[in-house]
Amino acid sequence: MLIYTYTNAQNPISPPGIYLADPSARSWNDSTLYLYTSTDLSCDFWCSWKHDILYTSDMVEWQVAGNTFTSKGVNDEVSYNDQLLFAPDCAKKDDTYYLYYCQPDENNALGTATSKSPTGPFKEGRILNTGKKYSQIDPAVFLDDDGVAYLVWGQTNMKMAALKPDMRTIDTTSIKDLVLTKSEHYFHEGPYMTKVNDLYYIVYADESRNQKPTSLGYATSKTPFGPYTYRGVIIDNEGCNPGNWNNHGSIYNFKNQWYVFYHRSTHGCQTYRKACVEKIEFLADGSIPEVEMTTQGALPPLNALNKLEAERACLLSGKVMVENDRASNQKLTNFKNGDEAVYKYLNFGDGASTFKIRYCSPKQNKLLLFTGLGKERKKVAELDFVTSKEQDGWRVDTFSIQKLKGIHALTLQIQGQEGILNEIDWFAFSR
């Protein structure tokens, strides 16, 4: 097992060069929050042969436990070796942690593995018997107050069953089909089950918008097996990447604050996804107001005087996308005329009047800076980029701008000739 330490309080919370998707949030001692994730390795296929775990004690410093469970060459006990692993979840009973996983082979097998540690390594992989007629993908587990554990899974239609006390055997007599459906609940896949104030919640990839499962929706019931009532969207990741397709995540109360965990895609494709987080709240009727994607994530607006990596844009329009620059760094690339990157939110404090940026400009173009959104959007700078002549194409320039104060959304817009105009690594403001 490998451990990476990564200090970062802004989205995405996945470290540079590591793509962690489908975050399922769990905690057992209230001092550490664990996100059980899929690990993306390519634009050519979903996920990989391993599961990594992202965890934190303060929502600022994150660590990654790598190779905690793998179907390829490490944990020899795993059935169906060399099969890809999709969307895990975890539960604890007594002194044992149970990881639930999916291997999308010809059988779409669901499995479970165990460990004495929440970060693994998980071993003794075992396939669960759910009956061949059931679509078996994206399992999630919920251990209720009375000690009964429930497993939920499925695509288009969500299935559900109770687990036997050993946590590794499904009570096949309890299997229920059509707990959530596409037609009634906009259910696509990726269910996550929890309970808040005696109300059962299932969070899942929701197809109610854009004919794509870009939203995390939720449904509630007074009983575990339903019936469930559709309640709406918690967050929608549409606009995070030109190739974006799906969303998958969870909600959790950590140290008296509720959060939604979700992912955004990168590289202009559907995969290479990164885990993100936003604060949420519950209203008196049990509903969760929809929240927006931000750059700041779980903490207050970012200090505009600190260097901000360009790839942390929460919204992208046009063809611009996040790509790897090198193993430990990413960049915004493929800017064309009119393309934009949006950052929410930056705190300029008492004022900033200088803008510094590292960029690569193969063609002459301009950078426009805007503050605000929608009708409140205002152009605050129009800067002429210099065509790069350095050997590697990158340069750092500093520009004077009109003084900015307070908290704002910031938009970078590129204008210029046709074709690919620009790449941006980072930027920062100063007084």
Side-chain angles (χ1 to χ4, degrees), residues 107-122:
N107 298 309
N108 279 333
L110 301 185
T112 178
T114 62
S115 175
K116 296 299 182 182
S117 166
T119 55
F122 290 88

Side-chain angles (χ1 to χ4, degrees), residues 196-199 201 218 220 231-234 251 253 257-258 279-291:
V196 183
N197 297 330
D198 296 324
L199 199 60
Y201 286 72
Y218 71 110
T220 62
R231 302 294 295 272
V233 168
I234 301 173
I251 59 174
N253 186 335
Q257 172 63 55
W258 277 97
K279 290 182 178 179
I280 60 171
E281 62 176 335
F282 285 77
L283 301 184
D285 64 355
S287 62
I288 306 171
E290 183 176 351
V291 296

